[in-house]
Amino acid sequence: MFGPLVIKAVKSKGDKTGSWRIKVKPKYLQKDCIACKMCVLICPEHCVEGKEKNTYICDYDYCKGCGLCALVCPKADILMEEEGTKGKTK
Ligand code: SF4
Ligand code: SF4
């Protein structure tokens, strides 16, 4: 009756989700980071990268400002701040 259901996995990074982020975005402080990778694992847009302590950063072209990375960071090394805050975002 029905054909096979085909679900295509698409990484969010295929779209620039950052274009509709309107209010807040994360600021990666790169001060107390212990490279636990929690921010990488939790990010629904797969837009956080880093290798060593204090190198983690997100790509704002794809960050939608959900705040999950800041929520899970055990060192509180990610702050959410208002979009357009001068001199505070990387
Ligand atoms: S706020 Fe953090 S978890 Fe959410 S999309 Fe941006 S980088 Fe990813
Ligand atoms: S969650 Fe925090 S401590 Fe862990 S890698 Fe990300 S920025 Fe560093």
Side-chain angles (χ1 to χ4, degrees):
M1 182 182 295
F2 297 104
L5 178 64
V6 178
I7 299 174
K8 185 180 176 187
V10 179
K11 272 196 168 185
S12 297
K13 204 161 182 176
D15 300 311
K16 287 201 171 184
T17 51
S19 63
W20 50 263
R21 184 189 64 247
I22 55 173
K23 290 184 179 176
V24 292
K25 64 181 180 182
K27 176 186 178 187
Y28 284 69
L29 301 178
Q30 299 183 335
K31 288 181 180 175
D32 298 316
C33 171
I34 55 173
C36 68
K37 298 185 184 296
M38 288 297 290
C39 52
V40 175
L41 294 172
I42 199 76
C43 179
E45 304 302 329
H46 310 287
C47 67
V48 181
E49 295 178 353
K51 289 181 179 174
E52 301 166 358
K53 293 178 181 178
N54 298 324
T55 65
Y56 287 75
I57 191 73
C58 74
D59 185 337
Y60 291 125
D61 282 344
Y62 301 98
C63 168
K64 61 184 180 184
C66 68
L68 287 173
C69 54
L71 194 66
V72 300
C73 178
K75 301 301 288 184
D77 208 39
I78 305 169
L79 297 181
M80 298 304 292
E81 63 181 10
E82 283 186 35
E83 194 77 43
T85 305
K86 280 192 174 179
K88 287 191 173 180
T89 52
K90 286 201 171 255

